[in-house]
Amino acid sequence: MNCASRSGRWWRPRLLPEVRLPLTVLATLVALTAGVAGGATRAVEERTRAEGGPGRVTLSALEGIERYDAAGSVRPLTTAALREAAALPGVEEVVADYPATLHAEREGTYDLGSHTLPAGGELPLVAGRLPGVLGARQVVLPAGAQGTDFRAVLGRTVPFGYTRATGAVSGTSEVVRLEVVALYDPAWQVDGVGGAYLAEGTAAELAAARAGKPVGEFRARDGAAGAVVAVGHGREVAEVIRALREAGFGASPVTDRVRQLPGVFGVADLGRWAGAGVLGLSAFVLGRVRAREGARSGVQELPLREAALTGLVAGGGGLVLGSGLSVALAGPLSGVLGLPIGLTGALPGAGWALAAVGLPVLGLGAGAWAYGLAGGAVRGGPGHRVGRTG
């Protein structure tokens, strides 16, 4: 579309490829890193809600009291240790996780990793309901996993197979009958694909059987793989963590997971801020340079409209490319993080999308305006400012 200039001549906008291409690359970087970092943060927030929210503390441990005796560092989550943690001021409840496996006994070919249902945990249910306290012979399953649709068994008591070790490298398959009380969305994969959730006692029984030990001995000597501590009030979390660490536990608030992400996500979080700064500064410098070159070429009027259009095209193109790359990486990065990043969650938020598009426009325009304000030369001699028509 043609436009009339202030001098009465027709003005045809140009996209200034020498300016547009580098800005498109930088805008792509901003959109990509914003999408990756934002998607990771949303995944962590989902995990935080799943584990009961910010009023929860996670405990990690070495496996086995012998390893603790040798290392002298993080305590194993044995029966005695968990009892000590539960007795600390401010602690309302401690729920230990004992991972094991449930496999198909009659129908299907699935192997579901089983875990203790977290304290105050929230699952995105699609059918059934969670009781106030999960019963000893109750289980919550995904709606479908590994080619098996579990909707047909909701409300029924189903036989599941599990392994009981009989030696260092041998074992037998046994059967436990569990009532399927609820089904959750299979896209929710906080504990891996297709996790089954059990009461703490049942989870401990399965884990002890896999280790080939009586459940009491297993809980007292091997301990849990992890635990969730429910704190009475959010303001007490810091004090509870301090007390747990002083007692030798590996304790951290659930909300700390953002800072514990693999390096690529920390880089992405830093990169979106650094990228935005570099994008804005580069656009400003390119706007000044382009205005100066235009003045030296005898351009009579400062091309602010060209700068704005070029910035808009560069930023828009970068936003589309960066968003597409972020969505494409959502699957692989979910595996690195160990938490699911949804496709829509991988898109940069509205603020970062606006930054990717707006910074090139504002930077180019500001750079060109600043050159004219400083008295840049145009056709007619060094004393003539850019934009004058006389």
Side-chain angles (χ1 to χ4, degrees), residues 281-346:
L281 180 61
S282 298
F284 179 84
V285 171
L286 288 171
R288 267 186 81 93
V289 170
R290 184 62 183 84
R292 183 183 64 222
E293 291 176 349
R296 288 177 176 176
S297 300
V299 175
Q300 187 175 11
E301 183 162 346
L302 185 63
L304 288 175
R305 287 170 292 185
E306 286 184 0
L309 182 60
T310 299
L312 183 63
V313 172
L319 176 62
V320 171
L321 289 173
S323 299
L325 288 172
S326 180
V327 169
L329 291 173
L333 294 180
S334 295
V336 174
L337 177 61
L339 297 176
I341 299 177
L343 295 183
T344 56

Side-chain angles (χ1 to χ4, degrees), residues 140-232:
V140 181
L141 300 176
Q146 301 172 30
T148 300
D149 186 352
F150 291 108
R151 295 176 187 271
V153 299
L154 178 63
R156 293 169 47 190
T157 298
V158 180
F160 295 90
Y162 67 97
T163 300
R164 180 175 297 278
T166 57
V169 292
S170 60
T172 60
S173 180
E174 298 191 4
V175 177
V176 60
R177 298 181 65 84
L178 302 171
E179 179 190 2
V180 182
V181 296
L183 303 175
Y184 66 88
D185 186 348
W188 193 86
Q189 300 173 6
V190 168
D191 292 300
V193 179
Y197 291 95
L198 305 164
E200 181 180 313
T202 309
E205 289 177 22
L206 299 182
R210 188 174 62 174
K213 298 180 180 181
V215 64
E217 177 187 343
F218 176 79
R219 298 181 76 160
R221 301 289 300 178
D222 294 65
V228 176
V229 177
V231 180

